[in-house]
Amino acid sequence: MSRRPATPPDADRTPHCRHFGECGGCSLLDQPIAWQLHAKVAASEKLLAPYLNGQRLASVAPDRSPQHFRTRLLYPIRADRDGLPIVGIYAFRSHQLVRIEECRTQDRWLTAFGRAAESALRELRLPPFRPDSKRGVLKALWARLAPGSGEVVAGVVTQPGAFPAGPELAAAFARAAESLAEGPARRLVGVVHSISERNDAFLLAERHVPLRGRDHVVDRTDGLELRISAGSFYQIHKDANRLLYAPALAMCGDVRGHRIVDGYGGVGAFGLRLAKAGAAEVKVVEDNAAACRDAAHNAKANNLPQVQVQQAAFAAADLPVGANLVVVDPPRSGLGTDGAAKLLAAAPQRILHVACDAEALARDLAILCAGGYRVTAARLCDLFPHTEHQELLVRLDRAN
């Protein structure tokens, strides 16, 4: 019989949200956070058991149930019966929108901005995109918060083509932001027109054009100043430095004088921290052009000349052979056979694998362990409370 996990004070107090059970944004809000974490650890350990060599996944339950930690808003836009835009989150396993009045996982200011932005879109009477007929313009509303500075950049995703309403929309969003007073201080520093080339319900965009102010925010964290552009990936938990980056660097050990590769490096979040910790050479490998520009800018802005950036898919990158450490933070699909083969050919002394899907991680570990590496440490970092999603850190050392 399974025993109840030890529960820190207040951790068994579950938040209440009027949309829970209808909105698909979270599925475990009604469960104590210690129970959520226990279940995630158990499921991940079961999947990864063949590679853990009897080790347990390290994890730390918070003192209370986390709330208002998400720093990224992404709402689909749909038409109501009158053809006017409404925004929200899809209902569970559905494309029906739930209009969000409150949210226990998203930053309060972002939630309030979503309501105000919907009002602005309706006043402008901009036509939402209709996936069935392929007509209309607006596909999504988005906003990104830099928690260390309070800066916010927001925008809409549209179909390709002229967008004459852009200046008027930017002014309306600015007025909406100025009217808000919820939560800590926030400042809208830019409004962006994001353009999707896909003629379907996909919400992300390939191109980003500033309409007002900047197309990026600047975050301040761990003694670093990081520029994050509209098209760049960035962790969406406000405490990612404590939950992910600090334990990750601890697992890397002493990196002073080391040669390091930061694979799938984004804006340089891992690579810059490792350079700041004393690494002699850091190569950030990233295939997204906007993220590469950000990473290069961030290396210069933080006076870290030992950081170099290579724009390339990881499986096609020019990796140094025999580096002291390679960090890989691939998408949910994992390294895949090509990425794992590239990593084995580079033969680093140590690998830190950052994964957001346990099944994909298990597939990667099967290849890496068969190629001469062994797992020496593993940890679950709960960046996605109240959902089934996981973030995992695994350190592998080359077997002698």
Side-chain angles (χ1 to χ4, degrees):
M1 182 176 179
S2 177
R3 296 183 63 188
R4 173 174 173 166
T7 305
D10 294 332
D12 59 347
R13 297 182 182 176
T14 58
H16 171 76
C17 175
R18 74 183 77 176
H19 304 302
F20 182 69
E22 181 185 11
C23 164
C26 63
S27 56
L28 305 176
L29 189 69
D30 60 342
Q31 298 185 24
I33 190 64
W35 285 62
Q36 295 181 34
L37 190 59
H38 175 77
K40 290 181 182 182
V41 168
S44 295
E45 285 184 340
K46 183 176 180 180
L47 273 171
L48 304 178
Y51 317 107
L52 294 180
N53 303 311
Q55 298 178 88
R56 303 299 303 273
L57 279 177
S59 63
V60 177
D63 290 338
R64 55 176 51 87
S65 191
Q67 297 187 57
H68 307 299
F69 49 83
R70 285 179 59 94
T71 59
R72 170 84 171 175
L73 175 153
L74 181 62
Y75 287 168
I77 300 175
R78 292 289 181 266
D80 67 8
R81 293 178 181 177
D82 299 319
L84 295 176
I86 57 173
V87 306
I89 297 176
Y90 288 135
F92 184 64
R93 293 182 180 175
S94 167
H95 277 184
Q96 296 298 314
L97 277 192
V98 178
R99 298 170 83 176
I100 301 301
E101 297 296 325
E102 65 172 322
C103 181
R104 293 295 175 173
T105 63
Q106 189 165 255
D107 178 83
R108 289 186 179 92
W109 192 95
L110 291 181
T111 301
F113 177 77
R115 296 194 301 265
E118 181 192 68
S119 296
L121 295 174
R122 291 174 69 83
E123 289 177 8
L124 294 173
R125 305 185 72 82
L126 297 175
F129 175 70
R130 297 177 180 268
D132 51 352
S133 66
K134 312 300 182 186
R135 295 183 178 179
V137 176
L138 299 178
K139 297 183 74 172
L141 167 72
W142 66 268
R144 167 177 281 160
L145 162 68
S149 66
E151 293 187 352
V152 178
V153 65
V156 291
V157 179
T158 77
Q159 288 291 90
F163 190 52
E168 193 175 3
L169 178 141
F173 276 16
R175 290 192 298 270
E178 289 172 0
S179 71
L180 303 180
E182 298 198 24
R186 305 288 185 238
R187 183 166 64 95
L188 185 70
V189 297
V191 180
V192 174
H193 174 207
S194 300
I195 304 162
S196 170
E197 301 294 341
R198 293 180 52 159
N199 198 23
D200 56 19
F202 189 68
L203 300 182
L204 301 182
E206 297 82 20
R207 293 183 287 144
H208 306 273
V209 180
L211 296 172
R212 182 188 182 106
R214 300 195 237 128
D215 65 350
H216 64 272
V217 292
V218 176
D219 199 14
R220 298 182 181 89
T221 178
D222 285 345
L224 295 168
E225 185 174 282
L226 301 178
R227 185 181 80 181
I228 308 106
S229 295
S232 298
F233 171 79
Y234 196 60
Q235 292 289 352
I236 62 170
H237 197 298
K238 67 181 180 65
D239 294 321
N241 54 338
R242 175 176 57 85
L243 296 173
L244 176 67
Y245 295 113
L249 263 64
M251 290 173 71
C252 291
D254 186 356
V255 298
R256 287 175 294 182
H258 284 190
R259 291 187 303 140
I260 294 174
V261 175
D262 179 9
Y264 308 86
V267 302
F270 281 104
L272 294 170
R273 285 174 167 88
L274 290 163
K276 193 170 181 289
E281 300 175 20
V282 177
K283 173 178 275 192
V284 176
V285 177
E286 169 60 48
D287 64 353
N288 180 280
C292 285
R293 291 191 294 271
D294 285 341
H297 170 91
N298 293 336
K300 184 175 181 180
N302 290 282
N303 193 29
L304 296 169
Q306 70 270 47
V307 177
Q308 302 299 315
V309 180
Q310 179 184 4
Q311 184 178 348
F314 183 78
D318 179 21
L319 301 185
V321 176
N324 300 101
L325 170 69
V326 174
V327 178
V328 287
D329 186 6
R332 190 169 298 277
S333 55
L335 291 170
T337 54
D338 291 343
K342 171 65 69 170
L343 193 49
L344 290 175
Q349 296 173 14
R350 177 171 290 175
I351 298 167
L352 181 70
H353 195 314
V354 186
C356 56
D357 183 85
E359 292 185 358
L361 175 60
R363 294 192 296 269
D364 291 345
L365 292 181
I367 300 172
L368 297 176
C369 291
Y373 287 85
R374 61 185 179 90
V375 173
T376 54
R379 184 181 190 90
L380 188 143
C381 305
D382 200 15
L383 292 186
F384 308 101
H386 314 311
T387 76
E388 289 85 359
H389 297 302
Q390 305 151 340
E391 190 83 4
L392 296 151
L393 295 173
V394 174
R395 189 184 74 199
L396 301 101
D397 289 82
R398 194 169 62 203
N400 294 327

